Amino acid sequence: MNAYPPPYRRRYQVIEGIMSPVSDNYGKKGLVSARHRVAMAKLALETSDWIRVDPWESEQDTWTETVKVLRHHYNEALRAFQTKKEFMRDRHPTESSTEDSLSCQQPVLPELKLLCGADFLQTFKTPNLWKEEDIKEIVEKFGLVCVSRAGSDPSQFIQESDLLSKYQHNIFLVREWIQNEISATQIRSALCRGLSVKYLIPDSVIAYIAQHNVYTAESERSNEGQLLQPLRLPNTTINL
Amino acid sequence: MRSRIPVILLACGSFNPTTNMHMRLFELARDHLHQTGRYQVIEGIMSPVSDNYGKKGLVSARHRVAMAKLALETSDWIRVDPWESEQDTWTETVKVLRHHYNEALRAFQTKKEFMRDRHPTESSTEDSLSCQQPVLPELKLLCGADFLQTFKTPNLWKEEDIKEIVEKFGLVCVSRAGSDPSQFIQESDLLSKYQHNIFLVREWIQNEISATQIRSALCRGLSVKYLIPDSVIAYIAQHNVYTAESERSNEGQLLQPLRLPNTTINL
C-alpha cells in the first residue's frame, strides 16, 4: 500500500507544495471571500521555502472540479519543464551524448499528486458528489497522498473499492504521528467567542483576521441552507 | 462591580523542548479563568525543571531555558523564569510555588508603597481607594491532567504539599476532550475538600504534541515545523540539542523526587 516504502528505494523528491483555496461559489457555510483566504494562506506560508498558495482556482468564475485543478497545475508544471529542458539543451549544444552526462543534465518530468486528509477520501462514497471518471483520472494519472490520523486506517476503504484498489500503487497513505486535530470550524467558532487561537494558527493570520474583522457571527451564516456547488450539478451515479 | 482577582499562572515541567501545546495550556487557562468573571490573569510563568530531576532524555537547562525564551518571544504575558533550573538540587513543586508567590508579594508591596507615596493627601473615600488599591494576586499551578494523576503515585508527593498546593495556591488543570478528572477529584477526600480552588479546563482542540515524540522525530530527521516554533527549531539545529545520545541521558535512573525519603501518601 506504499505506506512505508523501503528506505533504500527513495523514489521521490518533493519539489513543491501548492495550496489551492476553493472559489467563493463553492457555497460552503461560513466561507469568507477568497481574497481573504488567499491573503491568509500567503501569510501562513511566509516561513515555508517550498509551499506556496496559488489563487488560480479561487479566481475562476465558477466552482472548478478537483480534476480540472489538477490538470491546470500539471499543465503549468509541464510548461515549466519544457522551458527548462529547452534552456538546458540550448546551453549545452555540443554536449556529447554519453549516458552519464545526459542523465545528470536531463530534468525528470515531475508528477503532480493530490494531497488530502482521510475525510476527503471518504467523500468518494458520497452519492452524486464525484464522477467516476474523475476519480479514475485522479488516481491513475496523478496520484493521491492521503494523510490520516493515528488510529484511523483508510486501507480497508480502499480495498472495498474496485477502482481504488486497482490503483493503490498510486495512493500513498501517510500516518499522522502527532494528534493534532485543528479544525478550521472550531477556530472560527473560538474567534467569534473571543477565545485565544494563538499557537493554533500563525500569529500573522491572527493579526490579519483581527485587522480585517474576517470572522463574525454574520460570516458564519454565509451560504446557510445552501447545497455545495458540486451537489447542484447534474451528475452520473457513482459506482465505486 | 466587584474587581477581579489578579492571577499568576505557574507551569512547572521539563519543557524539553517547549512545544506549541505547552503554550496552549496558558492560553486555555487564561480564557477559562476570565470567563468565570472572577479573575484577571496578569502573568504566566514557565518554570523549567533543574537538570538533577534526572528524567530520561533531559537536556541541559541552559538549552531548555533558551528554547522557552525563544518560544515565548511573541507572548506579551507569559515569561520563562530560570530560578528553579538554577537551584543546586531538584526543588519540590510547592517550594517553587512559594518562591514565586513571595516574589509576587514583594512586587505587590512595592507597588502599594509606591502608590501610597504618590497620593499622600488622598482622602480616604471608598471610591478613590478601591480604584487605587492594588489587589493581592493569587498564584495558581497550571498543569495537565497527567500531572493531577501523579498525586496517586506512591512516594512521589508528601500529603502536606498537595494540601498546600490546593489550599493556599490553587490548581488549573487542562485536560483533553474526552478525559474528565472530576471523578479523580471526587475520589480524594483532600482534593474534593478544595475543589473550589481546582479549575478544570477542557481543551477544545485535540492537540497532543508530546515533547517525547518531537525529540524522536528530530532524531529521525522528520519535520516538526508547525508543531514547535520556528525559532526553537532553528536553535535545536544550530546547537544540535537532540541526538541519539541526549535521548539516553539519565537512562535507568529514578526521578529525583522518587529518590528522596518520603511519607506515604493517603489521598
Side-chain angles (χ1 to χ4, degrees):
Chain A
M1 188 68 68
N2 293 319
Y4 303 102
Y8 58 82
R9 297 258 287 274
R10 302 224 185 277
R11 285 173 290 154
Y12 300 100
Q13 177 67 39
V14 177
I15 59 172
E16 191 179 26
I18 303 171
M19 214 179 257
S20 176
V22 78
S23 73
D24 289 337
N25 34 42
Y26 181 51
K28 194 168 181 181
K29 183 173 177 294
L31 196 70
V32 301
S33 131
R35 178 174 67 88
H36 285 317
R37 290 182 289 113
V38 168
M40 291 188 287
K42 273 197 178 126
L43 289 168
L45 291 170
E46 261 173 347
T47 66
S48 178
D49 60 3
W50 67 284
I51 314 166
R52 64 179 182 85
V53 58
D54 194 298
W56 178 84
E57 180 183 356
S58 67
E59 289 165 354
Q60 302 311 300
D61 290 330
T62 57
W63 170 74
T64 315
E65 281 111 319
T66 304
V67 73
K68 289 181 180 161
V69 182
L70 281 162
R71 288 180 201 148
H72 165 79
H73 288 290
Y74 186 72
N75 291 337
E76 292 292 297
L78 203 55
R79 217 198 321 272
F81 171 80
Q82 305 285 32
T83 308
K84 187 175 175 188
K85 227 171 96 164
E86 282 158 29
F87 174 74
M88 290 173 79
R89 195 189 56 214
D90 295 343
R91 273 185 81 191
H92 303 276
T94 57
E95 192 73 35
S96 63
S97 51
T98 61
E99 198 178 304
D100 271 350
S101 60
L102 269 183
S103 59
C104 294
Q105 304 285 348
Q106 199 81 290
V108 180
L109 193 63
E111 290 184 19
L112 176 72
K113 301 198 180 301
L114 183 65
L115 171 64
C116 62
D119 305 349
F120 180 91
L121 198 65
Q122 299 284 342
T123 69
F124 286 168
K125 273 194 304 203
T126 306
N128 299 326
L129 189 58
W130 291 93
K131 292 182 201 150
E132 184 168 345
E133 64 253 33
D134 285 0
I135 299 177
K136 183 172 185 285
E137 188 176 339
I138 290 173
V139 295
E140 185 188 17
K141 292 202 181 143
F142 299 105
L144 262 180
V145 182
C146 179
V147 181
S148 54
R149 64 189 74 119
S152 152
D153 188 9
S155 49
Q156 187 184 344
F157 175 70
I158 289 168
Q159 290 313 318
E160 286 168 358
S161 154
D162 291 339
L163 181 56
L164 296 180
S165 46
K166 183 175 177 191
Y167 296 103
Q168 59 184 294
H169 57 277
N170 209 12
I171 299 174
F172 300 85
L173 299 182
V174 181
R175 190 56 57 78
E176 196 178 19
W177 47 271
I178 286 275
Q179 198 87 339
N180 198 16
E181 313 282 326
I182 303 177
S183 131
T185 304
Q186 286 177 301
I187 296 290
R188 296 196 307 273
S189 167
L191 286 164
C192 288
R193 290 189 283 154
L195 300 178
S196 165
V197 295
K198 196 167 165 70
Y199 313 115
L200 296 174
I201 66 178
D203 285 346
S204 53
V205 179
I206 296 175
Y208 181 96
I209 290 168
Q211 189 187 343
H212 298 265
N213 200 29
V214 181
Y215 294 109
T216 61
E218 189 186 337
S219 71
E220 272 310 280
R221 284 193 299 268
S222 80
N223 298 317
E224 203 163 37
Q226 274 192 56
L227 269 182
L228 293 178
Q229 183 60 46
L231 290 169
R232 291 185 240 156
L233 294 176
N235 218 335
T236 53
T237 322
I238 304 154
N239 291 316
L240 268 187
Chain B
M1 189 178 80
R2 198 174 58 225
S3 59
R4 289 172 175 242
I5 301 167
V7 170
I8 302 167
L9 293 171
L10 172 74
C12 299
S14 307
F15 300 107
N16 186 35
T18 304
T19 70
N20 286 344
M21 199 197 71
H22 289 133
M23 297 181 289
R24 279 301 298 159
L25 294 184
F26 282 92
E27 298 287 317
L28 285 162
R30 182 169 73 157
D31 281 344
H32 180 92
L33 289 174
H34 284 181
Q35 288 190 314
T36 65
R38 284 176 290 150
Y39 300 99
Q40 177 67 39
V41 177
I42 58 172
E43 192 179 28
I45 303 172
M46 214 179 254
S47 177
V49 78
S50 73
D51 290 337
N52 35 41
Y53 182 52
K55 194 169 181 181
K56 183 173 177 293
L58 196 70
V59 301
S60 131
R62 178 175 66 90
H63 285 318
R64 289 182 290 115
V65 168
M67 290 187 288
K69 273 198 178 124
L70 288 169
L72 293 171
E73 261 173 349
T74 67
S75 178
D76 60 3
W77 68 283
I78 313 166
R79 64 180 182 85
V80 58
D81 194 298
W83 178 84
E84 181 185 355
S85 68
E86 289 166 354
Q87 302 312 299
D88 290 330
T89 58
W90 170 73
T91 315
E92 282 110 319
T93 304
V94 73
K95 289 180 179 161
V96 183
L97 281 161
R98 288 179 201 150
H99 165 80
H100 288 290
Y101 186 73
N102 291 337
E103 293 291 296
L105 204 56
R106 217 198 323 271
F108 172 79
Q109 304 285 31
T110 309
K111 187 175 175 186
K112 229 171 94 162
E113 283 158 27
F114 173 73
M115 291 173 81
R116 194 190 54 215
D117 295 345
R118 274 184 80 191
H119 304 276
T121 57
E122 192 74 35
S123 63
S124 53
T125 60
E126 198 178 306
D127 270 350
S128 61
L129 268 183
S130 60
C131 294
Q132 304 286 352
Q133 200 79 289
V135 180
L136 192 64
E138 292 183 17
L139 177 70
K140 300 196 183 303
L141 184 65
L142 170 63
C143 62
D146 305 350
F147 180 91
L148 198 64
Q149 300 282 344
T150 68
F151 286 168
K152 275 194 302 202
T153 306
N155 300 326
L156 189 59
W157 291 93
K158 291 182 202 151
E159 184 168 343
E160 63 254 34
D161 285 0
I162 299 177
K163 184 172 185 287
E164 187 174 341
I165 291 173
V166 294
E167 185 187 18
K168 292 201 181 144
F169 300 104
L171 262 180
V172 183
C173 178
V174 181
S175 53
R176 61 189 75 120
S179 152
D180 188 9
S182 49
Q183 188 183 343
F184 175 70
I185 290 168
Q186 291 312 318
E187 285 168 1
S188 153
D189 291 340
L190 180 55
L191 296 181
S192 48
K193 182 175 177 191
Y194 296 103
Q195 57 183 297
H196 58 277
N197 208 12
I198 300 174
F199 300 84
L200 300 181
V201 182
R202 190 54 56 80
E203 196 178 20
W204 48 270
I205 286 274
Q206 199 84 337
N207 198 17
E208 312 283 327
I209 302 178
S210 130
T212 305
Q213 285 178 301
I214 295 289
R215 296 196 304 275
S216 167
L218 286 164
C219 288
R220 289 189 284 157
L222 302 179
S223 164
V224 296
K225 196 168 165 69
Y226 313 119
L227 297 175
I228 70 179
D230 285 346
S231 53
V232 179
I233 296 176
Y235 181 96
I236 291 168
Q238 190 187 343
H239 298 266
N240 201 30
V241 180
Y242 295 110
T243 60
E245 189 187 336
S246 70
E247 273 308 283
R248 285 194 297 268
S249 79
N250 297 318
E251 203 163 36
Q253 275 192 54
L254 268 183
L255 293 178
Q256 182 60 46
L258 291 168
R259 292 184 238 156
L260 294 175
N262 218 335
T263 54
T264 323
I265 305 156
N266 291 315
L267 267 188

